[in-house]
Amino acid sequence: MTTSKRMLTIFILTILLLSIISFCFLYVQANSKVVTQREIIKKMNINLRNRNEENITLKERSLQNSDDSDQKKNPSFFR
């Protein structure tokens, strides 16, 4: 093998190795972004669930308060 062929082979192998390393780096980086996005989505779901529960309890309280005020305003004849 001549020196030019050897240099060309070393050059091609170096480029191949760098390509594999950069692919691995990008793959790991993309997976870490996916994991963080999943965590963000989980947190958002928990927050939405908590807000939904708060809204339900507030509606129940307001309905209960309105029923109480209606009973005070309009006394029933059947008591």
Side-chain angles (χ1 to χ4, degrees), residues 32-73:
S32 68
K33 285 183 181 179
V34 168
V35 169
T36 55
Q37 286 176 349
R38 285 181 183 162
E39 290 173 357
I40 290 170
I41 290 171
K42 283 181 185 178
K43 288 179 184 177
M44 289 173 62
N45 282 337
I46 290 171
N47 287 339
L48 286 174
R49 236 181 267 132
N50 289 339
R51 285 184 183 174
N52 192 20
E53 289 175 2
E54 288 175 8
N55 285 340
I56 289 172
T57 55
L58 287 174
K59 284 180 183 178
E60 288 174 351
R61 284 182 190 167
S62 67
L63 285 173
Q64 201 172 30
N65 288 341
S66 67
D67 287 346
D68 290 344
S69 65
D70 286 345
Q71 286 178 359
K72 288 179 184 177
K73 288 179 185 175

Side-chain angles (χ1 to χ4, degrees), residues 13-44:
L13 288 176
T14 305
I15 290 176
L16 183 65
L17 182 67
L18 289 174
S19 299
I20 291 171
I21 290 172
S22 65
F23 175 77
C24 291
F25 176 74
L26 291 174
Y27 181 76
V28 168
Q29 192 176 13
N31 276 343
S32 68
K33 285 183 181 179
V34 168
V35 169
T36 55
Q37 286 176 349
R38 285 181 183 162
E39 290 173 357
I40 290 170
I41 290 171
K42 283 181 185 178
K43 288 179 184 177
M44 289 173 62

